[in-house]
Coordinates of all heavy atoms in Angstrom, one line a residue:
H1 N 0.8 -1.2 0.0 CA 0.0 0.0 0.0 C 0.9 1.3 0.0 O 1.9 1.3 0.7 CB -0.9 0.0 1.3 CG -1.7 1.3 1.4 ND1 -2.8 1.5 0.7 CD2 -1.5 2.3 2.2 CE1 -3.3 2.7 1.0 NE2 -2.5 3.2 1.9
R2 N 0.5 2.2 -0.8 CA 1.1 3.5 -0.8 C 0.1 4.6 -0.3 O -1.0 4.5 -0.7 CB 1.6 3.9 -2.2 CG 2.9 3.2 -2.6 CD 3.4 3.8 -3.9 NE 4.6 3.1 -4.4 CZ 5.9 3.4 -3.9 NH1 6.0 4.3 -3.0 NH2 6.9 2.7 -4.4
H3 N 0.6 5.5 0.5 CA -0.3 6.6 1.0 C -0.6 7.6 -0.2 O 0.2 7.8 -1.1 CB 0.4 7.4 2.1 CG 0.7 6.5 3.3 ND1 -0.2 5.6 3.7 CD2 1.8 6.5 4.2 CE1 0.3 5.0 4.8 NE2 1.5 5.5 5.1
T4 N -1.8 8.1 -0.1 CA -2.2 9.2 -1.0 C -1.5 10.5 -0.6 O -1.0 10.7 0.5 CB -3.7 9.4 -1.0 OG1 -4.1 9.8 0.3 CG2 -4.4 8.0 -1.3
A5 N -1.5 11.4 -1.5 CA -0.9 12.8 -1.2 C -1.7 13.4 -0.1 O -1.0 14.1 0.8 CB -1.0 13.6 -2.5
H6 N -3.0 13.3 0.0 CA -3.8 13.9 1.1 C -3.3 13.3 2.4 O -3.2 14.0 3.4 CB -5.3 13.6 0.9 CG -6.1 14.0 2.1 ND1 -6.3 15.3 2.5 CD2 -6.8 13.2 3.0 CE1 -7.0 15.3 3.6 NE2 -7.3 14.0 3.9
Q7 N -3.2 11.9 2.5 CA -2.8 11.3 3.7 C -1.4 11.8 4.2 O -1.2 12.1 5.3 CB -2.8 9.8 3.5 CG -4.2 9.2 3.4 CD -4.1 7.7 3.0 OE1 -3.2 7.2 2.4 NE2 -5.2 6.9 3.4
I8 N -0.5 11.8 3.2 CA 0.9 12.3 3.6 C 0.9 13.7 4.1 O 1.5 14.1 5.1 CB 1.8 12.1 2.4 CG1 2.0 10.6 2.1 CG2 3.2 12.8 2.6 CD1 2.9 10.3 0.8
Q9 N 0.1 14.6 3.4 CA 0.0 16.0 3.8 C -0.5 16.1 5.2 O 0.0 16.9 6.0 CB -0.9 16.7 2.8 CG -0.9 18.3 3.1 CD -1.8 19.0 2.1 OE1 -2.4 18.4 1.2 NE2 -1.8 20.3 2.1
R10 N -1.6 15.3 5.5 CA -2.2 15.4 6.9 C -1.2 14.8 7.9 O -1.1 15.4 9.0 CB -3.5 14.6 6.9 CG -4.2 14.6 8.2 CD -4.7 15.9 8.6 NE -5.4 15.9 9.9 CZ -4.8 16.2 11.0 NH1 -3.5 16.6 11.0 NH2 -5.4 16.2 12.2
L11 N -0.5 13.7 7.6 CA 0.4 13.2 8.5 C 1.6 14.1 8.8 O 2.1 14.3 9.9 CB 0.9 11.8 8.0 CG -0.1 10.7 8.0 CD1 0.5 9.5 7.2 CD2 -0.4 10.2 9.5
E12 N 2.1 14.8 7.7 CA 3.2 15.7 7.9 C 2.8 16.9 8.8 O 3.5 17.4 9.6 CB 3.7 16.2 6.5 CG 4.4 15.2 5.7 CD 5.9 15.1 6.1 OE1 6.3 15.7 7.1 OE2 6.5 14.2 5.5
G13 N 1.5 17.4 8.5 CA 1.1 18.5 9.4 C 1.0 18.1 10.8 O 1.3 18.9 11.7
M14 N 0.5 16.9 11.1 CA 0.4 16.4 12.5 C 1.8 16.2 13.1 O 2.1 16.5 14.2 CB -0.3 15.1 12.5 CG -0.5 14.5 13.9 SD -1.5 15.6 14.9 CE -1.5 14.7 16.5
F15 N 2.8 15.8 12.2 CA 4.1 15.6 12.7 C 4.8 16.9 13.2 O 5.5 16.9 14.2 CB 5.0 14.9 11.6 CG 6.4 14.6 12.1 CD1 6.7 13.4 12.7 CD2 7.4 15.5 11.8 CE1 7.9 13.1 13.1 CE2 8.7 15.2 12.2 CZ 9.0 14.0 12.9
K16 N 4.5 18.0 12.5 CA 5.1 19.3 12.9 C 4.6 19.7 14.2 O 5.3 20.3 15.0 CB 4.8 20.3 11.8 CG 5.5 20.1 10.5 CD 5.1 21.2 9.5 CE 5.8 21.0 8.2 NZ 5.5 22.0 7.2
E17 N 3.3 19.4 14.5 CA 2.7 19.8 15.8 C 3.1 18.8 16.9 O 3.3 19.3 18.0 CB 1.1 19.8 15.7 CG 0.6 20.8 14.7 CD -0.9 20.7 14.5 OE1 -1.5 19.9 15.3 OE2 -1.4 21.4 13.7
C18 N 3.1 17.5 16.6 CA 3.4 16.5 17.6 C 4.1 15.3 17.0 O 3.4 14.4 16.5 CB 2.1 16.1 18.3 SG 2.3 14.9 19.6
P19 N 5.4 15.3 17.1 CA 6.1 14.1 16.5 C 5.9 12.8 17.3 O 6.2 11.8 16.8 CB 7.6 14.5 16.6 CG 7.7 15.8 17.4 CD 6.3 16.3 17.6
H20 N 5.4 12.9 18.5 CA 5.2 11.7 19.3 C 3.7 11.6 19.7 O 3.3 11.9 20.9 CB 6.0 11.7 20.6 CG 7.5 11.6 20.3 ND1 8.2 10.4 20.2 CD2 8.5 12.5 20.1 CE1 9.4 10.6 20.0 NE2 9.6 11.9 19.9
P21 N 2.8 11.3 18.8 CA 1.4 11.3 19.1 C 1.1 10.1 20.1 O 1.7 9.1 20.0 CB 0.7 11.1 17.8 CG 1.7 10.4 16.9 CD 3.0 11.0 17.4
D22 N 0.1 10.4 21.0 CA -0.3 9.3 21.9 C -1.3 8.4 21.2 O -1.7 8.6 20.0 CB -0.9 9.8 23.2 CG -2.0 10.8 23.0 OD1 -2.7 10.7 22.0 OD2 -2.2 11.7 23.8
E23 N -1.8 7.4 21.9 CA -2.7 6.4 21.3 C -4.0 7.0 20.8 O -4.6 6.7 19.7 CB -3.0 5.3 22.3 CG -3.9 4.2 21.7 CD -4.1 3.0 22.7 OE1 -3.5 3.1 23.8 OE2 -4.8 2.1 22.4
K24 N -4.5 8.0 21.6 CA -5.8 8.7 21.3 C -5.6 9.4 20.0 O -6.5 9.4 19.1 CB -6.2 9.6 22.4 CG -7.5 10.3 22.2 CD -7.9 11.2 23.4 CE -9.2 11.9 23.1 NZ -9.6 12.8 24.3
Q25 N -4.5 10.1 19.8 CA -4.3 10.9 18.6 C -4.1 10.0 17.4 O -4.5 10.3 16.3 CB -3.0 11.8 18.8 CG -3.2 12.9 19.8 CD -1.9 13.7 20.1 OE1 -0.9 13.0 20.4 NE2 -2.0 15.0 20.1
R26 N -3.4 8.8 17.6 CA -3.2 7.9 16.5 C -4.6 7.3 16.0 O -4.8 7.1 14.8 CB -2.3 6.8 16.9 CG -0.8 7.3 17.1 CD 0.1 6.1 17.0 NE -0.1 5.1 18.1 CZ 0.5 5.1 19.3 NH1 1.3 6.1 19.6 NH2 0.2 4.2 20.2
L27 N -5.5 7.0 17.0 CA -6.8 6.5 16.6 C -7.6 7.5 15.8 O -8.3 7.2 14.9 CB -7.5 6.1 17.9 CG -7.0 4.8 18.6 CD1 -7.7 4.6 19.9 CD2 -7.2 3.6 17.7
Q28 N -7.5 8.8 16.2 CA -8.2 9.8 15.5 C -7.7 10.0 14.1 O -8.5 10.1 13.2 CB -8.0 11.2 16.3 CG -8.8 12.3 15.7 CD -8.6 13.6 16.4 OE1 -8.1 13.6 17.5 NE2 -9.1 14.7 15.9
L29 N -6.4 9.9 13.9 CA -5.8 10.0 12.6 C -6.2 8.8 11.8 O -6.5 8.8 10.6 CB -4.3 10.1 12.6 CG -3.7 11.4 12.9 CD1 -2.2 11.3 13.2 CD2 -4.0 12.4 11.8
S30 N -6.3 7.6 12.4 CA -6.7 6.4 11.7 C -8.1 6.5 11.2 O -8.3 6.2 10.0 CB -6.6 5.2 12.7 OG -7.2 4.0 12.1
R31 N -9.0 7.0 12.0 CA -10.4 7.2 11.5 C -10.5 8.2 10.4 O -11.2 8.1 9.4 CB -11.3 7.6 12.7 CG -11.5 6.4 13.7 CD -12.6 6.8 14.7 NE -12.2 7.9 15.5 CZ -11.7 7.8 16.7 NH1 -11.4 6.6 17.2 NH2 -11.3 8.8 17.4
E32 N -9.7 9.3 10.6 CA -9.8 10.4 9.6 C -9.2 10.0 8.2 O -9.7 10.4 7.2 CB -9.0 11.6 10.2 CG -9.0 12.8 9.3 CD -8.2 14.0 9.9 OE1 -8.0 13.9 11.1 OE2 -7.8 14.8 9.2
L33 N -8.1 9.2 8.2 CA -7.4 8.9 7.0 C -7.7 7.5 6.4 O -7.2 7.2 5.3 CB -5.9 9.1 7.2 CG -5.4 10.5 7.6 CD1 -3.9 10.5 7.9 CD2 -5.8 11.5 6.6
G34 N -8.5 6.8 7.2 CA -8.8 5.4 6.7 C -7.6 4.5 6.7 O -7.5 3.6 5.9
L35 N -6.7 4.7 7.7 CA -5.5 3.8 7.8 C -5.6 3.1 9.2 O -6.2 3.6 10.1 CB -4.2 4.7 7.8 CG -3.9 5.4 6.5 CD1 -2.7 6.3 6.7 CD2 -3.7 4.4 5.4
A36 N -4.9 2.0 9.3 CA -4.9 1.2 10.5 C -4.0 1.9 11.5 O -3.0 2.6 11.1 CB -4.3 -0.2 10.3
P37 N -4.3 1.8 12.8 CA -3.5 2.5 13.8 C -2.0 2.1 13.8 O -1.2 2.9 14.0 CB -4.1 2.0 15.2 CG -5.5 1.7 14.8 CD -5.5 1.1 13.4
R38 N -1.7 0.8 13.4 CA -0.3 0.4 13.3 C 0.4 1.1 12.1 O 1.5 1.4 12.2 CB -0.2 -1.1 13.1 CG -0.4 -1.9 14.4 CD -0.2 -3.4 14.2 NE -0.3 -4.1 15.4 CZ 0.6 -4.3 16.3 NH1 1.8 -3.8 16.0 NH2 0.5 -5.0 17.4
Q39 N -0.4 1.4 11.0 CA 0.2 2.1 9.9 C 0.6 3.5 10.4 O 1.6 4.1 10.0 CB -0.8 2.2 8.8 CG -1.0 0.9 8.0 CD -2.0 1.0 6.9 OE1 -3.2 1.2 7.2 NE2 -1.6 0.9 5.7
I40 N -0.3 4.2 11.1 CA 0.0 5.5 11.7 C 1.2 5.4 12.5 O 2.1 6.3 12.4 CB -1.2 6.0 12.5 CG1 -2.5 6.1 11.7 CG2 -0.9 7.4 13.1 CD1 -2.5 7.1 10.5
K41 N 1.3 4.4 13.4 CA 2.4 4.3 14.3 C 3.7 4.1 13.5 O 4.7 4.8 13.8 CB 2.2 3.1 15.2 CG 3.3 2.9 16.2 CD 3.0 1.7 17.1 CE 4.1 1.4 18.1 NZ 3.8 0.2 19.0
F42 N 3.7 3.2 12.5 CA 4.9 3.0 11.7 C 5.3 4.3 10.9 O 6.5 4.5 10.8 CB 4.7 1.9 10.7 CG 4.6 0.5 11.4 CD1 3.8 -0.5 10.8 CD2 5.3 0.2 12.5 CE1 3.7 -1.7 11.4 CE2 5.2 -1.0 13.1 CZ 4.4 -2.0 12.6
W43 N 4.3 5.0 10.4 CA 4.7 6.2 9.7 C 5.5 7.2 10.6 O 6.5 7.8 10.2 CB 3.4 6.9 9.1 CG 3.8 8.0 8.1 CD1 3.9 7.9 6.8 CD2 4.0 9.3 8.5 NE1 4.2 9.1 6.3 CE2 4.3 10.0 7.3 CE3 4.0 10.1 9.7 CZ2 4.6 11.4 7.3 CZ3 4.3 11.4 9.7 CH2 4.6 12.1 8.5
F44 N 4.9 7.4 11.8 CA 5.6 8.4 12.7 C 7.0 7.9 13.1 O 7.9 8.7 13.3 CB 4.7 8.6 13.9 CG 3.7 9.7 13.7 CD1 2.4 9.4 13.2 CD2 4.0 11.1 13.9 CE1 1.5 10.4 13.0 CE2 3.1 12.1 13.6 CZ 1.8 11.7 13.2
Q45 N 7.1 6.6 13.4 CA 8.4 6.0 13.7 C 9.4 6.3 12.6 O 10.6 6.7 12.8 CB 8.3 4.5 14.0 CG 7.6 4.2 15.3 CD 7.5 2.7 15.5 OE1 7.6 1.9 14.6 NE2 7.1 2.3 16.7
N46 N 9.0 6.0 11.4 CA 9.9 6.2 10.2 C 10.2 7.7 10.0 O 11.4 8.0 9.7 CB 9.2 5.7 9.0 CG 10.0 5.8 7.7 OD1 11.1 5.1 7.6 ND2 9.6 6.6 6.8

């Protein structure tokens, strides 16, 4: 799977605000972008 431009843009924006999101923030991003919580977690780690 490759992320869409919209997903990457939203993740980058979140990273600038909070490079270490907690579980609640990752779940919110998961619902918003249609990605699994583990995908969100891996993206921020990377």
Side-chain angles (χ1 to χ4, degrees):
H1 176 77
R2 285 189 180 275
H3 296 322
T4 65
H6 168 70
Q7 288 172 334
I8 293 175
Q9 184 178 8
R10 179 68 181 94
L11 290 168
E12 288 283 358
M14 183 64 183
F15 182 85
K16 291 179 181 179
E17 298 176 5
C18 179
H20 294 269
D22 56 27
E23 185 176 358
K24 183 179 178 181
Q25 291 171 311
R26 291 198 299 268
L27 287 173
Q28 182 180 348
L29 280 173
S30 173
R31 289 191 295 267
E32 181 181 338
L33 300 178
L35 297 173
R38 283 185 176 274
Q39 289 179 289
I40 302 294
K41 180 179 179 181
F42 290 148
W43 189 92
F44 275 91
Q45 286 177 347
N46 182 65

